[in-house]
Amino acid sequence: MAHFALLDDNNVVVNVLYIENSIMMDGEGNESEAMGIAQCREGLNDPNARLVKTSYSASIRHTYAGIGYTYDEENDVFLAPKPWPSWVVNTTNWEWEAPVGVEPEMTEEQTSVGSFYEWDEENRTWVFVDMTPPPEEETE
């Protein structure tokens, strides 16, 4: 299957369509994105539909496009929705990152009890959420 992201006027993905790979083959047996787009436009009955090919394996355009993702035409990549206003995109891996970097590492014990870090947008910092159960009180 070949997948195509249907874009709105702001390059936001509003739907992801799929067609059989064989529909995209040109006369020499090569896959043609243009032929796939033409087929999708015909199926949508919209000759002006804005479509861009995407791939489950992320072999093109960095990541598989999902609804709500944005297509960055200049860099020819799909970007996940921005998680927080202060976050910036890393142009090496095309992932959103906190302005202070990734959350601190946790110990095995912290992880085992379900503790985690969450982003505090107001203070632009990672906040540790401790899920360690309170000690049991001794009964006499």
Side-chain angles (χ1 to χ4, degrees):
M1 289 287 165
H3 297 84
F4 289 85
L6 177 62
L7 307 175
D8 69 9
D9 292 337
N10 296 311
N11 282 352
V12 175
V13 178
V14 295
N15 203 349
V16 179
L17 312 171
Y18 63 91
I19 60 173
E20 292 292 331
N21 286 341
S22 60
I23 294 173
M24 295 179 44
M25 298 301 173
D26 64 17
E28 297 175 11
N30 299 312
E31 202 172 271
S32 165
E33 183 171 348
M35 289 180 72
I37 289 171
Q39 181 66 35
C40 289
R41 285 178 173 163
E42 184 178 318
L44 291 167
N45 197 27
D46 182 354
N48 299 312
R50 298 183 64 234
L51 295 142
V52 178
K53 189 174 184 215
T54 186
S55 167
Y56 267 141
S57 67
S59 60
I60 58 170
R61 302 190 171 104
H62 172 66
T63 191
Y64 181 75
I67 294 173
Y69 282 50
T70 301
Y71 177 60
D72 176 339
E73 282 184 90
E74 183 179 333
N75 295 297
D76 195 28
V77 296
F78 286 104
L79 297 171
K82 191 173 186 176
W84 299 100
S86 66
W87 286 34
V88 294
V89 69
N90 176 325
T91 57
T92 301
N93 64 12
W94 301 104
E95 302 287 334
W96 293 105
E97 294 181 352
V100 297
V102 298
E103 67 270 18
E105 288 192 34
M106 294 190 299
T107 66
E108 189 176 313
E109 182 181 345
Q110 291 169 328
T111 303
S112 71
V113 296
S115 296
F116 58 95
Y117 280 92
E118 65 182 9
W119 180 249
D120 177 350
E121 179 66 11
E122 185 177 331
N123 295 304
R124 294 192 177 175
T125 189
W126 290 105
V127 176
F128 181 70
V129 178
D130 189 357
M131 300 301 287
T132 305
E136 292 186 25
E137 292 183 19
E138 292 185 26
T139 57
E140 295 182 31

